[in-house]
Each structure stands twice: as C-alpha cells, then as structure tokens.
C-alpha cells in the first residue's frame, strides 16, 4: 500500500512538471509575437492571426481529444502532445513564409490540446480524488504559462527568430522522459464493475452551468491580462511600464497562490461553497481595481487575482465528477474550450474602452463574476467516484 502511494506521488509530480513545460509553450506564443513584428514586419492583423492560430487549435480541438480518451485511455498522448507543442514553436521561426509560421503555431496548439485531457485524467487518478493534488497540477500549468516570456525573450534577443529551434529542447527532453517513466508508473486501466458503471450518470445540466462559470471567469481574466497594465499606468499617472508590469506580476502571483489555496480549502469546505464564496468576493475586489485611487489599487489587484483563481482547479474536478463517464471531455472543455473563450471577448472590452474609457470597460467586467456567482448558486456537490486504485 505504501509503495503504491509512493508511486502515485511520483506520478503526480511528474505530471505537475510536464504541465509546467507544456503550458510554457502557450505562454511562448504572445512572447514571440513582438519578434515576428520586428523581424518580419507583420501588421496587427497578421500578428493577431498568429495568436489566433494557437488559441483556436489549443481550445477548440481539446474537447475532441477528450472524447477520444473517453473511449479509450491514451496515456501516450501526454508525452506526444507535449513534444508536438514544443516542436511547433521550434519550427515557427524558420523560413520567411507567413503560412509556414501560422501552421507551425497551429501545430503547437494541437499538441497543447492533445496533452491536456489525458494528463488531467491521469493527474486525477494519481491524486486519488485529492483537491490539493489537482491544485498542484493546475499550479504547474500557471507557472509554465508565466515562464513562457522569461524563456523566450533571451533566446529571441540573442539569436532572433532563427534561434526558435532551441525552444523545442525542453519539450523533446521531457517528452522522452515521460514516455519512459509514465509507462512504468501508470498502472493498467482497470475495467469498472458493471454495477459501478451503471451507477455513473452524466449530469449535463450541472456541467453546462459549470461551463458558464468557467467562461465568465475566462472573460474576466483575459480582459485583465490585456488591459490591467494600461489601467494602472493611467491610474497612477506613472511614467514607463514599471507600474503596469508590477500589477501583472501581482495578478499572476496572487493567482498562483489562489490556485493552491483553493485545493487546500476544499478539504474543509465543499468545492461548490468555495466557488460561490470566491466569486462573490471577486465582485467588490474587481470594483476596487476600477474605482480605488492611488497605490491602493495594487491591494485590489492582488485580491482579485486570488479570488478568481481559488476555483480554478476545483472547476476541473467538478467537471470530471459531473461527467464521470466522460472525464476526458469534461477536462477538454474546462481546461480548453471554456477557458479560451475569454480571449474572444477581450476585443469587445477594448471597443468599450475606446468608446467610453478604460474605467467603464473594467466596470463592465463586473457582470462576469456576478453571472458566475448566480450560476454557482444552482450547482450542487457531486459524489466523487474516483477509485484510488487507478
């Protein structure tokens, strides 16, 4: 028993590390865009097309991989998807063709999409239903996304786009490591007894409400990522980018802490109660970002990041419990499709900002946590049926 727990622990940490590396390539795309613009003189539309290639393919295709893994577990997709995510980024800087670059970024997005549903299923199994374990898995992805620009900038600054193949090295190495270790550390999938399978009921109504909650969070987060730095610089009447970058660091840092805190607190309160409380608290915190003058805005930025991310890993496990026979599909939607829709809403917030000012645009975001809270009021806490032996 102790040996199997130790193996599960190693498997979880391996997945946390791989999630970090995989999502590093999601964070790499926006970091590479300025270099494409500088070297190849892309316009705004072409630059937006690069980001769209990554977002569309990593989000829209992800539920399809989830459906595939629901029919048959495919643990090989974890190292394969991770490797493809890195290879696509590595190839993107080679050649001068825009089509080549767009297809390479799209390939990376497909790799990201292939990785997530199966890795989330394996992580849930390794965590044996532990919310803390799943919060660590989610935190790995958050850290990886934040590391993307830190890894990309020095390589691009030193070698230009021609150095992009160097960026695939972490993915290829970790992919090879995963292909060997996961085979040893992952037990064969056990077939559930007929009585247990009969007891599993997919609750699509509850899952639809949860998807609404995730979409609203995504809209708020993407819009804050886009406009927060500009707002803080304007609010503090600051010269240069330092104040804006500090606000983003606070938002990301508090968000990482919130992801882990959510898993810890879920052991004391139910996930649904915690999600309701987090979004209810988000409303005044987000209002403070838009309304409070002076340096105090940083306090509300940190509080907003914390509250918005407390539910992050909890919505993943809730989705899996609402669709117990379609865990891959649930993971693909909550980690992929629903999470990326916010990127499509950000331009609409930008139009509001141009028409009425950035403060009005930020205030409009209050609708999102209100809708999340109202939808969460109709959620109930499902019974977990994750077998610890898997």
């Amino acid at each position: 028993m102790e040996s199997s727990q130790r193996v599960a622990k190693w498997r979880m940490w391996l997945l946390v590390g791989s999630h970090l590396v995989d999502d590093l390539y999601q964070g790499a795309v926006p970091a590479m865009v300025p270099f494409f613009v500088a070297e190849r003189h892309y316009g705004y539309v072409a630059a937006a097309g690069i980001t769209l290639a990554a977002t569309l393919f990593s989000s829209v295709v992800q539920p399809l991989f989830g459906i595939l893994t629901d029919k048959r577990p495919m643990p090989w997709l974890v190292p394969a998807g991770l490797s493809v995510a890195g290879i696509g980024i590595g190839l993107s800087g080679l050649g001068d063709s825009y089509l080549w670059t767009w297809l390479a970024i799209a390939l990376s997005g497909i790799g990201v999409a292939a990785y997530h549903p199966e890795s989330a299923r394996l992580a849930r199994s390794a965590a044996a239903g532990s919310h803390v374990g799943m919060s660590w898995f989610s935190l790995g992805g958050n850290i990886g996304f934040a590391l993307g620009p830190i890894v990309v900038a020095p390589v691009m600054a030193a070698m230009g786009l021609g150095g992009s193949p160097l960026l695939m090295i972490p993915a290829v190495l970790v992919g090879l490591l995963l292909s060997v270790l996961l085979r040893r550390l992952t037990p064969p999938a056990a077939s559930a007894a007929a009585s247990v399978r009969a007891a599993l009921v997919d609750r699509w109504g509850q899952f639809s409400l949860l998807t609404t909650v995730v979409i609203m969070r995504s809209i708020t987060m993407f819009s804050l990522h886009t406009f927060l730095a500009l707002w803080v610089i304007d609010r503090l009447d600051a010269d240069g980018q330092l104040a804006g970058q500090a606000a983003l660091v606070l938002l990301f840092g508090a968000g990482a802490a919130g992801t882990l805190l959510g898993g810890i607190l879920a052991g004391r309160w139910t996930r649904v109660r915690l999600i309701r409380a987090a979004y209810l608290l988000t409303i005044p915190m987000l209002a403070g970002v838009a309304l409070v003058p002076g340096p105090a805005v940083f306090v509300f930025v940190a509080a907003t990041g914390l509250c918005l991310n407390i539910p992050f890993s909890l919505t993943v496990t809730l989705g899996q419990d609402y669709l117990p026979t379609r865990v891959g599909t649930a993971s693909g939607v909550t980690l992929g499709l629903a999470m990326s829709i916010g990127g499509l809403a950000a331009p609409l917030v930008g139009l509001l900002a141009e028409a009425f000012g950035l403060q009005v645009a930020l205030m409009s975001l209050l609708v999102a946590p209100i809708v999340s809270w109202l939808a969460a009021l109709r959620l109930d806490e499902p019974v977990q049926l994750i077998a610890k032996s898997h």
Side-chain angles (χ1 to χ4, degrees), residues 65-102:
F65 280 106
I67 293 170
L68 287 175
T69 60
D70 284 335
K71 294 180 178 179
R72 180 181 179 182
M74 300 178 180
W76 59 268
L77 276 177
V78 177
L82 171 60
S83 299
V84 170
I87 289 170
I89 293 295
L91 295 175
S92 66
L94 303 181
D96 295 325
S97 165
Y98 181 80
L99 179 61
W100 171 274
T101 299
W102 195 92

CSV table of all heavy atoms in Angstrom, one decimal, residues 65-102:
chain,number,residue,atom,x,y,z
A,65,PHE,N,-10.1,15.7,-28.4
A,65,PHE,CA,-9.1,14.7,-27.8
A,65,PHE,C,-9.7,14.1,-26.5
A,65,PHE,O,-9.5,13.0,-26.2
A,65,PHE,CB,-7.8,15.4,-27.5
A,65,PHE,CG,-6.9,15.6,-28.7
A,65,PHE,CD1,-6.7,16.8,-29.3
A,65,PHE,CD2,-6.2,14.5,-29.2
A,65,PHE,CE1,-5.9,16.9,-30.4
A,65,PHE,CE2,-5.4,14.6,-30.3
A,65,PHE,CZ,-5.2,15.8,-30.9
A,66,GLY,N,-10.5,15.0,-25.8
A,66,GLY,CA,-11.2,14.4,-24.6
A,66,GLY,C,-12.2,13.3,-25.0
A,66,GLY,O,-12.3,12.3,-24.3
A,67,ILE,N,-12.9,13.5,-26.0
A,67,ILE,CA,-13.9,12.5,-26.5
A,67,ILE,C,-13.1,11.2,-26.8
A,67,ILE,O,-13.6,10.1,-26.5
A,67,ILE,CB,-14.7,13.0,-27.7
A,67,ILE,CG1,-15.6,14.1,-27.2
A,67,ILE,CG2,-15.5,11.9,-28.3
A,67,ILE,CD1,-16.3,14.8,-28.4
A,68,LEU,N,-12.0,11.3,-27.5
A,68,LEU,CA,-11.2,10.1,-27.9
A,68,LEU,C,-10.7,9.4,-26.6
A,68,LEU,O,-10.8,8.2,-26.6
A,68,LEU,CB,-10.0,10.6,-28.7
A,68,LEU,CG,-10.3,11.0,-30.2
A,68,LEU,CD1,-9.0,11.5,-30.8
A,68,LEU,CD2,-10.9,9.8,-31.0
A,69,THR,N,-10.2,10.1,-25.7
A,69,THR,CA,-9.7,9.5,-24.5
A,69,THR,C,-10.7,8.9,-23.6
A,69,THR,O,-10.5,8.0,-22.8
A,69,THR,CB,-8.8,10.4,-23.7
A,69,THR,OG1,-9.6,11.6,-23.2
A,69,THR,CG2,-7.6,10.9,-24.5
A,70,ASP,N,-12.0,9.4,-23.7
A,70,ASP,CA,-13.1,8.8,-23.0
A,70,ASP,C,-13.4,7.4,-23.6
A,70,ASP,O,-13.9,6.5,-22.8
A,70,ASP,CB,-14.3,9.7,-23.1
A,70,ASP,CG,-14.2,10.9,-22.2
A,70,ASP,OD1,-13.5,10.8,-21.2
A,70,ASP,OD2,-14.9,11.9,-22.5
A,71,LYS,N,-13.2,7.2,-24.9
A,71,LYS,CA,-13.5,5.9,-25.5
A,71,LYS,C,-12.4,4.9,-25.1
A,71,LYS,O,-12.7,3.7,-24.9
A,71,LYS,CB,-13.6,6.1,-27.0
A,71,LYS,CG,-14.8,6.9,-27.4
A,71,LYS,CD,-14.9,7.0,-28.9
A,71,LYS,CE,-16.1,7.8,-29.4
A,71,LYS,NZ,-16.2,8.0,-30.8
A,72,ARG,N,-11.2,5.4,-25.0
A,72,ARG,CA,-10.1,4.5,-24.7
A,72,ARG,C,-8.9,5.4,-24.1
A,72,ARG,O,-8.5,6.3,-24.7
A,72,ARG,CB,-9.6,3.8,-26.0
A,72,ARG,CG,-8.4,2.9,-25.7
A,72,ARG,CD,-8.0,2.2,-27.0
A,72,ARG,NE,-6.9,1.3,-26.8
A,72,ARG,CZ,-6.3,0.6,-27.8
A,72,ARG,NH1,-6.7,0.8,-29.0
A,72,ARG,NH2,-5.3,-0.2,-27.5
A,73,PRO,N,-8.4,5.0,-22.9
A,73,PRO,CA,-7.3,5.8,-22.3
A,73,PRO,C,-6.1,5.8,-23.3
A,73,PRO,O,-5.8,4.7,-23.9
A,73,PRO,CB,-7.0,5.0,-21.0
A,73,PRO,CG,-8.3,4.3,-20.7
A,73,PRO,CD,-8.9,4.0,-22.0
A,74,MET,N,-5.5,6.9,-23.4
A,74,MET,CA,-4.3,7.1,-24.3
A,74,MET,C,-3.2,7.8,-23.6
A,74,MET,O,-2.9,9.0,-24.0
A,74,MET,CB,-4.7,7.8,-25.6
A,74,MET,CG,-5.8,7.2,-26.4
A,74,MET,SD,-6.3,8.2,-27.9
A,74,MET,CE,-7.5,7.1,-28.6
A,75,PRO,N,-2.6,7.2,-22.7
A,75,PRO,CA,-1.5,7.9,-21.9
A,75,PRO,C,-0.3,8.4,-22.8
A,75,PRO,O,0.4,9.3,-22.4
A,75,PRO,CB,-1.0,6.8,-20.9
A,75,PRO,CG,-1.6,5.5,-21.4
A,75,PRO,CD,-2.8,5.8,-22.1
A,76,TRP,N,-0.2,7.7,-24.0
A,76,TRP,CA,0.9,8.2,-24.9
A,76,TRP,C,0.7,9.6,-25.4
A,76,TRP,O,1.6,10.2,-25.9
A,76,TRP,CB,1.0,7.2,-26.0
A,76,TRP,CG,-0.2,7.0,-26.9
A,76,TRP,CD1,-1.2,6.1,-26.7
A,76,TRP,CD2,-0.6,7.8,-28.0
A,76,TRP,NE1,-2.1,6.3,-27.7
A,76,TRP,CE2,-1.8,7.3,-28.5
A,76,TRP,CE3,0.0,8.9,-28.7
A,76,TRP,CZ2,-2.5,7.8,-29.6
A,76,TRP,CZ3,-0.7,9.4,-29.8
A,76,TRP,CH2,-1.9,8.9,-30.2
A,77,LEU,N,-0.6,10.1,-25.3
A,77,LEU,CA,-0.9,11.4,-25.8
A,77,LEU,C,-0.2,12.5,-24.9
A,77,LEU,O,0.1,13.6,-25.4
A,77,LEU,CB,-2.4,11.7,-25.8
A,77,LEU,CG,-3.2,11.2,-27.0
A,77,LEU,CD1,-4.6,11.5,-26.8
A,77,LEU,CD2,-2.7,11.9,-28.3
A,78,VAL,N,0.1,12.1,-23.7
A,78,VAL,CA,0.8,13.1,-22.8
A,78,VAL,C,2.2,13.5,-23.3
A,78,VAL,O,2.5,14.7,-23.5
A,78,VAL,CB,0.8,12.6,-21.3
A,78,VAL,CG1,1.5,13.6,-20.4
A,78,VAL,CG2,-0.6,12.4,-20.8
A,79,PRO,N,3.1,12.5,-23.4
A,79,PRO,CA,4.4,12.9,-24.0
A,79,PRO,C,4.3,13.3,-25.4
A,79,PRO,O,5.1,14.2,-25.9
A,79,PRO,CB,5.2,11.6,-23.9
A,79,PRO,CG,4.3,10.5,-23.8
A,79,PRO,CD,3.1,11.1,-23.1
A,80,ALA,N,3.4,12.7,-26.2
A,80,ALA,CA,3.3,13.1,-27.7
A,80,ALA,C,2.8,14.5,-27.8
A,80,ALA,O,3.4,15.3,-28.6
A,80,ALA,CB,2.4,12.1,-28.4
A,81,GLY,N,1.8,14.9,-27.1
A,81,GLY,CA,1.2,16.2,-27.2
A,81,GLY,C,2.2,17.3,-26.7
A,81,GLY,O,2.4,18.3,-27.3
A,82,LEU,N,2.9,17.0,-25.6
A,82,LEU,CA,3.9,17.9,-25.1
A,82,LEU,C,5.0,18.1,-26.1
A,82,LEU,O,5.5,19.3,-26.3
A,82,LEU,CB,4.5,17.3,-23.8
A,82,LEU,CG,5.7,18.0,-23.2
A,82,LEU,CD1,5.4,19.5,-22.9
A,82,LEU,CD2,6.2,17.3,-21.9
A,83,SER,N,5.5,17.0,-26.7
A,83,SER,CA,6.6,17.2,-27.7
A,83,SER,C,6.2,18.0,-28.9
A,83,SER,O,6.9,18.8,-29.4
A,83,SER,CB,7.0,15.8,-28.1
A,83,SER,OG,7.5,15.0,-27.0
A,84,VAL,N,4.9,17.7,-29.4
A,84,VAL,CA,4.4,18.4,-30.6
A,84,VAL,C,4.3,19.9,-30.2
A,84,VAL,O,4.5,20.8,-31.1
A,84,VAL,CB,3.1,17.8,-31.0
A,84,VAL,CG1,2.4,18.7,-32.1
A,84,VAL,CG2,3.4,16.4,-31.6
A,85,ALA,N,3.8,20.2,-29.0
A,85,ALA,CA,3.7,21.6,-28.6
A,85,ALA,C,5.0,22.4,-28.7
A,85,ALA,O,5.1,23.5,-29.2
A,85,ALA,CB,3.2,21.7,-27.2
A,86,GLY,N,6.1,21.7,-28.3
A,86,GLY,CA,7.4,22.4,-28.4
A,86,GLY,C,8.0,22.4,-29.8
A,86,GLY,O,8.6,23.4,-30.2
A,87,ILE,N,7.7,21.3,-30.6
A,87,ILE,CA,8.3,21.3,-31.9
A,87,ILE,C,7.6,22.3,-32.8
A,87,ILE,O,8.3,23.0,-33.6
A,87,ILE,CB,8.0,19.8,-32.5
A,87,ILE,CG1,8.9,18.8,-31.8
A,87,ILE,CG2,8.2,19.8,-34.0
A,87,ILE,CD1,8.6,17.4,-32.2
A,88,GLY,N,6.3,22.6,-32.6
A,88,GLY,CA,5.6,23.6,-33.4
A,88,GLY,C,6.2,25.0,-33.1
A,88,GLY,O,6.5,25.7,-34.1
A,89,ILE,N,6.5,25.3,-31.8
A,89,ILE,CA,7.1,26.6,-31.5
A,89,ILE,C,8.5,26.6,-32.1
A,89,ILE,O,9.0,27.7,-32.6
A,89,ILE,CB,7.2,26.8,-30.0
A,89,ILE,CG1,5.7,26.9,-29.4
A,89,ILE,CG2,8.0,28.0,-29.6
A,89,ILE,CD1,5.0,28.2,-29.9
A,90,GLY,N,9.2,25.5,-32.0
A,90,GLY,CA,10.6,25.5,-32.5
A,90,GLY,C,10.7,25.7,-34.0
A,90,GLY,O,11.6,26.4,-34.5
A,91,LEU,N,9.7,25.2,-34.8
A,91,LEU,CA,9.7,25.4,-36.2
A,91,LEU,C,9.2,26.8,-36.7
A,91,LEU,O,9.4,27.2,-37.8
A,91,LEU,CB,8.8,24.3,-36.9
A,91,LEU,CG,9.3,22.9,-36.7
A,91,LEU,CD1,8.2,21.9,-37.3
A,91,LEU,CD2,10.6,22.7,-37.4
A,92,SER,N,8.5,27.5,-35.8
A,92,SER,CA,7.7,28.7,-36.2
A,92,SER,C,8.7,29.8,-36.7
A,92,SER,O,8.3,30.6,-37.5
A,92,SER,CB,6.9,29.2,-35.1
A,92,SER,OG,7.7,29.6,-34.0
A,93,GLY,N,9.9,29.8,-36.2
A,93,GLY,CA,10.8,30.9,-36.6
A,93,GLY,C,11.6,30.6,-37.8
A,93,GLY,O,12.3,31.5,-38.3
A,94,LEU,N,11.5,29.4,-38.4
A,94,LEU,CA,12.3,29.1,-39.6
A,94,LEU,C,11.5,29.5,-40.8
A,94,LEU,O,10.3,29.3,-40.9
A,94,LEU,CB,12.5,27.6,-39.5
A,94,LEU,CG,13.3,27.0,-38.3
A,94,LEU,CD1,13.5,25.5,-38.4
A,94,LEU,CD2,14.6,27.7,-38.1
A,95,GLY,N,12.3,29.9,-41.8
A,95,GLY,CA,11.6,30.3,-43.1
A,95,GLY,C,11.0,31.7,-43.0
A,95,GLY,O,10.7,32.2,-41.9
A,96,ASP,N,10.6,32.3,-44.1
A,96,ASP,CA,10.0,33.6,-44.1
A,96,ASP,C,8.5,33.6,-44.5
A,96,ASP,O,7.9,34.6,-44.5
A,96,ASP,CB,10.7,34.5,-45.2
A,96,ASP,CG,12.2,34.7,-44.8
A,96,ASP,OD1,12.4,34.9,-43.5
A,96,ASP,OD2,13.0,34.8,-45.7
A,97,SER,N,8.0,32.4,-44.7
A,97,SER,CA,6.6,32.3,-45.2
A,97,SER,C,5.7,32.4,-44.0
A,97,SER,O,5.8,31.8,-42.9
A,97,SER,CB,6.4,30.9,-45.8
A,97,SER,OG,5.0,30.6,-45.9
A,98,TYR,N,4.7,33.3,-44.1
A,98,TYR,CA,3.7,33.5,-43.1
A,98,TYR,C,2.9,32.2,-42.9
A,98,TYR,O,2.5,31.9,-41.8
A,98,TYR,CB,2.8,34.7,-43.4
A,98,TYR,CG,1.7,34.9,-42.3
A,98,TYR,CD1,2.0,35.6,-41.2
A,98,TYR,CD2,0.4,34.4,-42.5
A,98,TYR,CE1,1.1,35.8,-40.2
A,98,TYR,CE2,-0.6,34.7,-41.5
A,98,TYR,CZ,-0.2,35.4,-40.4
A,98,TYR,OH,-1.2,35.6,-39.4
A,99,LEU,N,2.6,31.6,-44.0
A,99,LEU,CA,1.8,30.3,-43.9
A,99,LEU,C,2.5,29.3,-43.1
A,99,LEU,O,2.0,28.6,-42.3
A,99,LEU,CB,1.5,29.8,-45.3
A,99,LEU,CG,0.7,28.5,-45.4
A,99,LEU,CD1,-0.7,28.6,-44.7
A,99,LEU,CD2,0.6,28.0,-46.8
A,100,TRP,N,3.8,29.2,-43.3
A,100,TRP,CA,4.7,28.2,-42.5
A,100,TRP,C,4.6,28.5,-41.1
A,100,TRP,O,4.4,27.6,-40.2
A,100,TRP,CB,6.1,28.3,-43.0
A,100,TRP,CG,7.1,27.5,-42.1
A,100,TRP,CD1,7.7,28.0,-41.0
A,100,TRP,CD2,7.5,26.1,-42.3
A,100,TRP,NE1,8.5,27.0,-40.5
A,100,TRP,CE2,8.3,25.8,-41.2
A,100,TRP,CE3,7.2,25.1,-43.2
A,100,TRP,CZ2,8.9,24.6,-41.1
A,100,TRP,CZ3,7.8,23.9,-43.1
A,100,TRP,CH2,8.6,23.6,-42.0
A,101,THR,N,4.8,29.8,-40.7
A,101,THR,CA,4.7,30.2,-39.3
A,101,THR,C,3.3,29.9,-38.7
A,101,THR,O,3.3,29.4,-37.6
A,101,THR,CB,5.0,31.7,-39.2
A,101,THR,OG1,6.3,32.0,-39.7
A,101,THR,CG2,4.9,32.2,-37.8
A,102,TRP,N,2.3,30.3,-39.4
A,102,TRP,CA,0.9,30.1,-38.9
A,102,TRP,C,0.7,28.6,-38.7
A,102,TRP,O,0.1,28.2,-37.7
A,102,TRP,CB,-0.1,30.6,-39.9
A,102,TRP,CG,-1.5,30.8,-39.4
A,102,TRP,CD1,-2.0,31.9,-38.8
A,102,TRP,CD2,-2.5,29.8,-39.4
A,102,TRP,NE1,-3.3,31.6,-38.4
A,102,TRP,CE2,-3.6,30.4,-38.8
A,102,TRP,CE3,-2.6,28.5,-39.8
A,102,TRP,CZ2,-4.8,29.7,-38.6
A,102,TRP,CZ3,-3.8,27.8,-39.7
A,102,TRP,CH2,-4.9,28.4,-39.1
